[in-house]
Amino acid sequence: MREIHVNDIAAKVAELCIKACVVVAPDIRKYMQQALPTERGTARQILADMLENHDVAMRQRMPICQDTGLVVVFLDVGQDVHIVGGIIEDAVNAGVRHGYKEGYLRKSVVGDPIRRANTKDNTPAVIHYTIVPGDSLKITVCPKGFGSENMSRLAMLVPVDGIDGVKAFVLETVTAADSNACPPIVVGVGIGGTFDYAANMAKRALLRKIGTRHHDPYWADVEAGLLARINATGIGPAGFGGRTTAMAVHINTHATHIAGLPVAVNLGCHVNRHEEAVL
Amino acid sequence: MSKIKEITTPLSPEVIASLKCGDMVCITGSIYTGRDAAHQRMMDMLAAGCDMPFDFTGNIIFYAGPTPAPPGMATGSIGPTTAGRMDAFAPELIAHGLRIMIGKGLRNNAVKQAITDHSGIYFAGVGGIAALMSQCVKNVEVVAFEDLGTEAIRRLEVERLPVIVAIDNKGNDIYNRNGT
Ligand code: SF4
């Protein structure tokens, strides 16, 4: 049994919040650099602006985007870990509170979805816990922007809908999102499981590195086919037209019921922030 | 793609009429931020017959909520939020003179109709380039609803803020890619 103190968790969460909001991930940068010469006119200018924005954010240590999101935290807790010194949920929220203050990040959370008073410190986070083998704790912090979150959708398809139904739903979601999701987007898809689990898988799919292939060749082909069709829609960077509409389609699947085919599509915008660390 | 047009606020009806869907524009002068919560309050104030927090004539509402300004800086990161959420409020505000908007993304038919009826204009910025956009902001002052935090109405002094004409005063829409 390995002990991990809550103070170390809080400090790491704070650090990851700031890093995710300020430093653009190398896979996104690389994708945009490669896409730039394939575009012309306005689309090319916008990709160039996005790359310049990364530079300014880094140089001035300021957020890449003003929507620094609602913080989603994935905790993969080793079953041989003992958390000491306090309550893990409080530690995560303390980290968010500290990171959003120290990093001059925007406080975008309201405490009640209808009465809507701002909590003024960007807490609480949405936390997903998974128990995994081992004696370490993996923390993944995703500050999720709502331009893209609002355009995400879930459908309870039925078995007869099959792969064509799944593909049509993904395409419909991306087309309806259009410019609102801040393209070029990352499309996270969860297929199977239950209503709730499909959404969870879709969110986790946003964490995969852009440019990596699905381990199952069947799904790798589905991903590649969908990406090509999305990039043929003409939506383009910021929705002003062009080829670069999505950087990646990432699919996660799970066993499901004989009667069901849940599909969740979670859209990640072109900043698609996530940072992780292992304690 | 046409060359960049330079405009200065407040905008005259002639300037608005001269801008066409797809034009790249740089805006210099004062503009006002306001998003979801500030719009709700302005609507409540209109219903109660109160004065608006700033003069609408020729002025621009920028759907944006910045990050806090670090010490020594005029502003934190700032950029447009999804305009569609303001569609519920925009037609009435346009009718009351708030005809010029900056946001990102699609508008509904009621907003397009109000834009053509009142010769307004909708500029779109690029979402998610807020560090770069902040470099255009020279000064910031809260003018109303300070308690709303990032959602307060702020007057920004901007220099060459880059936007694109997304819906012009004839109702042409840049997001209408099929030309329907
Ligand atoms: S969707 Fe993403 S890039 Fe667009 S405004 Fe929100 S956080 Fe920024």
Side-chain angles (χ1 to χ4, degrees):
Chain A
M1 189 65 83
R2 184 175 154 236
E3 293 194 342
I4 297 180
H5 199 280
V6 286
N7 290 351
D8 295 333
I9 297 171
K12 192 50 84 180
V13 168
E15 181 191 320
L16 294 174
C17 286
I18 297 175
K19 187 171 179 213
C21 288
V22 171
V23 183
V24 77
D27 55 338
I28 292 181
R29 221 176 139 71
K30 187 169 152 210
Y31 186 93
M32 286 190 185
Q33 281 161 341
Q34 286 170 352
L36 186 81
T38 70
E39 294 281 14
R40 304 176 282 115
T42 306
R44 189 182 184 131
Q45 181 60 47
I46 286 163
L47 287 175
D49 287 348
M50 285 172 179
L51 286 161
E52 195 186 340
N53 182 57
H54 304 159
D55 296 335
V56 174
M58 285 273 266
R59 196 165 61 232
Q60 310 220 11
R61 304 287 309 160
M62 64 196 297
I64 316 161
C65 182
Q66 81 288 338
D67 182 0
T68 50
L70 169 67
V71 183
V72 180
V73 179
F74 291 96
L75 293 176
D76 297 333
V77 187
Q79 64 184 30
D80 298 324
V81 168
H82 181 203
I83 312 280
V84 297
I87 295 165
I88 190 164
E89 185 181 336
D90 294 346
V92 169
N93 285 322
V96 170
R97 191 176 297 120
H98 188 69
Y100 273 66
K101 183 163 190 282
E102 293 301 304
Y104 293 92
L105 308 178
R106 198 178 78 180
K107 320 303 182 286
S108 315
V109 175
V110 294
D112 180 279
I114 296 300
R115 288 165 291 180
R116 304 199 77 80
N118 195 301
T119 62
K120 298 200 158 79
D121 60 5
N122 221 52
T123 67
V126 169
I127 309 173
H128 298 285
Y129 303 91
T130 311
I131 305 293
V132 298
D135 65 355
S136 57
L137 168 65
K138 183 168 156 194
I139 307 174
T140 307
V141 169
C142 323
K144 188 66 177 73
F146 259 56
S148 46
E149 193 73 357
N150 276 346
M151 305 314 290
S152 303
R153 296 201 302 176
L154 191 144
M156 299 305 284
L157 302 185
V158 289
V160 71
D161 292 323
I163 191 64
D164 290 339
V166 169
K167 287 177 181 171
F169 182 67
V170 173
L171 277 168
E172 257 172 57
T173 304
V174 169
T175 316
D178 202 281
S179 54
N180 289 9
C182 288
I185 56 177
V186 178
V187 184
V189 186
I191 308 172
T194 47
F195 182 82
D196 54 310
Y197 199 63
N200 186 294
M201 287 191 290
K203 174 123 312 52
R204 273 193 184 259
L206 297 178
L207 306 177
R208 207 172 104 202
K209 215 183 216 124
I210 294 163
T212 55
R213 252 178 94 76
H214 198 287
H215 58 86
D216 178 337
Y218 172 82
W219 289 111
D221 282 353
V222 174
E223 288 181 353
L226 274 170
L227 182 62
R229 286 172 70 184
I230 290 167
N231 283 331
T233 57
I235 294 170
F240 297 137
R243 295 185 180 84
T244 318
T245 302
M247 300 188 273
V249 176
H250 292 160
I251 296 174
N252 281 333
T253 61
H254 194 270
T256 192
H257 189 275
I258 48 174
L261 177 51
V263 185
V265 183
N266 193 201
L267 301 181
C269 55
H270 68 83
V271 304
N272 197 41
R273 294 161 293 210
H274 52 90
E275 285 291 336
E276 59 180 54
V278 177
L279 291 182
Chain B
M1 190 174 59
S2 49
K3 77 173 190 29
I4 294 172
K5 296 188 174 170
E6 303 283 343
I7 59 173
T8 307
T9 65
L11 304 188
S12 67
E14 293 73 32
V15 168
I16 293 173
S18 73
L19 298 171
K20 300 277 168 284
C21 174
D23 284 352
M24 303 261 233
V25 176
C26 280
I27 301 172
T28 297
S30 300
I31 61 176
Y32 294 83
T33 65
R35 46 172 295 159
D36 310 60
H39 274 72
Q40 186 63 59
R41 283 209 190 162
M42 287 196 286
M43 294 294 275
D44 295 345
M45 287 163 73
L46 274 178
C50 304
D51 286 344
M52 288 295 97
F54 61 96
D55 179 14
F56 286 173
T57 318
N59 276 320
I60 302 180
I61 184 92
F62 181 17
Y63 303 144
T67 61
M73 289 175 72
T75 182
S77 297
I78 185 161
T81 192
T82 306
R85 290 195 320 275
M86 266 50 78
D87 284 359
F89 313 108
E92 188 166 344
L93 289 168
I94 291 169
H96 279 87
L98 191 58
R99 300 187 175 93
I100 317 164
M101 300 151 277
I102 308 174
K104 70 165 170 92
L106 317 172
R107 306 310 300 261
N108 69 13
N109 287 333
V111 175
K112 274 187 227 180
Q113 188 63 50
I115 287 174
T116 47
D117 287 350
H118 300 278
S119 194
I121 191 163
Y122 167 53
F123 297 107
V126 178
I129 58 163
L132 184 60
M133 264 195 185
S134 76
Q135 310 295 297
C136 305
V137 179
K138 303 304 166 191
N139 195 40
V140 178
E141 201 183 322
V142 174
V143 298
F145 315 148
E146 186 152 23
D147 60 300
L148 293 180
T150 185
E151 296 203 66
I153 293 188
R154 291 174 169 81
R155 179 170 45 239
L156 314 178
E157 298 302 327
V158 297
E159 245 175 64
R160 308 199 69 239
L161 185 80
V163 293
I164 292 183
V165 179
I167 302 177
D168 63 24
N169 74 335
K170 310 281 184 313
N172 300 302
D173 182 353
I174 195 168
Y175 299 117
N176 198 350
R177 285 174 215 94
N178 308 320
T180 45

